[in-house]
């Protein structure tokens, strides 16, 4: 049974409304906006019938308070009014009310408008659930396509194996730490960085095979060719995502691809950015990218021990890495060691990582 909250300072009107509706709905009746807000602190309802003209707090103020609470903002509201002025009706609808019911109440009209509003709200919620499910499915397909492209790029590189999967898992572990201990990073932002992580090396698709597949250190000319992958990756990511993803995520994914080889002291590439001029999502990716390169086998070196890898990262804080992020990354060592103990790291990485 639907639960209705009726707010009206006139006890006669309140009693009339309760009598008209009690056989069809569960009713909670209060005589002021303050009482209603106090009730809604610990309870919810399916629809609110709200008088406009009340002392202390009128209906519009009560509605504003309800709408400002994210947990209550979707509850449909019908205004109750004895004012037949068209401007009042217009103001009710502009304020976000689903409908209005004139006083004195006519039972059949009241029941009809409440029933219609509840049906529309049920339809809205059902469509919202369907849309969310469809959006999740589309994002899943898109993520799988991106992972497929990344895997295709990785398969061309004889010295790379599993790098994309491992760095993505590192970013996920690091994001958990950041969500708890970083002062400003929101969970929604970190979730976007996690989604963007597999795209960081997509630009390697544009690197010539003679460079990408080389086993051994690069010549200066080959290294310059390889470095082009960051800016090229940003272009490709934008091309893939623009128009089908929200703008904020597109920007984060572009930045991860473009700037994950920048260094805190300005000696990185492609643009030589320094400090906080480097997007923070790229600073996060840089730690994951370098860590995986250190603890993975390369064609010119064996995998470093965890002690050596974390020592190198520690000594690079303030030069290569953001000081605050670097210290938090070091605190993630137990989780990262557990991850790498579970996955095979017998792969060879290219010189860039």
């Amino acid at each position: 049974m639907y639960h209705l909250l009726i707010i009206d300072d006139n006890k006669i009107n309140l009693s009339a409304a309760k009598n008209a509706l009690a056989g069809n709905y569960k009713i909670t009746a209060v005589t002021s906006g303050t009482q209603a807000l106090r009730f809604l602190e610990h309870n919810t309802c399916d629809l609110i019938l709200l008088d406009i003209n009340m002392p202390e707090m009128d209906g519009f103020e009560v509605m504003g308070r309800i709408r400002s609470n994210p947990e209550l903002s979707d509850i449909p509201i019908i205004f109750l009014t004895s004012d037949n002025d068209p401007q009042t009706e217009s103001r009710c609808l502009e304020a976000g009310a689903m409908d209005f019911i004139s006083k004195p109440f006519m039972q059949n009209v009241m029941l009809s408008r409440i029933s219609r509003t509840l049906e529309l709200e049920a339809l809205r919620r059902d469509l919202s659930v369907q849309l969310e499910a469809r959006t999740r499915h589309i994002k899943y397909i898109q993520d799988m396509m991106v992972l497929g492209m990344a895997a295709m790029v990785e398969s061309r590189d004889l010295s790379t194996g599993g790098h994309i999967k491992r760095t993505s898992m590192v970013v996920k572990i690091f994001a958990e730490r950041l969500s708890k201990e970083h002062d400003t990073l929101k969970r929604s932002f970190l979730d976007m960085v996690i989604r963007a992580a597999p795209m960081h090396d997509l630009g390697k698709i544009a690197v010539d095979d003679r460079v990408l597949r080389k086993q051994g250190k690069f010549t200066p000319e080959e290294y310059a060719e390889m470095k082009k992958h960051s800016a090229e990756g940003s272009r490709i990511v934008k091309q893939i995502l623009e128009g089908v993803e929200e703008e904020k995520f597109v920007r984060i994914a572009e930045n991860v691809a473009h700037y994950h080889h920048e260094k805190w002291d300005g000696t990185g590439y492609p643009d030589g950015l320094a400090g906080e001029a480097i997007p923070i999502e790229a600073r996060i990716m840089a730690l994951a990218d370098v860590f995986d390169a250190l603890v993975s086998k390369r064609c010119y070196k064996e995998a470093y021990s965890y002690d050596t890898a974390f020592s190198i990262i520690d000594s690079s804080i303030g030069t290569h890495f953001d000081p605050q992020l670097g210290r938090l990354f070091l605190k993630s060592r137990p989780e990262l060691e557990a991850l790498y103990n579970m996955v095979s790291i017998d792969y060879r990485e290219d010189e860039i990582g």
Side-chain angles (χ1 to χ4, degrees), residues 2 4 25 46-47 114-123:
Y2 286 114
L4 309 187
Y25 304 104
D46 298 298
L47 183 142
I114 290 172
S115 175
R116 181 181 63 187
T117 298
L118 288 170
E119 287 175 2
L120 287 172
E121 177 61 12
L123 179 61

Side-chain angles (χ1 to χ4, degrees), residues 4 22-23 26 58 63 75 84 94 173 208 254 259 282 330 332:
L4 309 187
K26 177 183 176 181
D58 69 14
M63 182 175 182
I75 299 175
N84 294 318
E94 287 174 1
I173 287 172
D208 192 281
E254 283 186 83
Y259 302 114
L330 293 176
S332 301

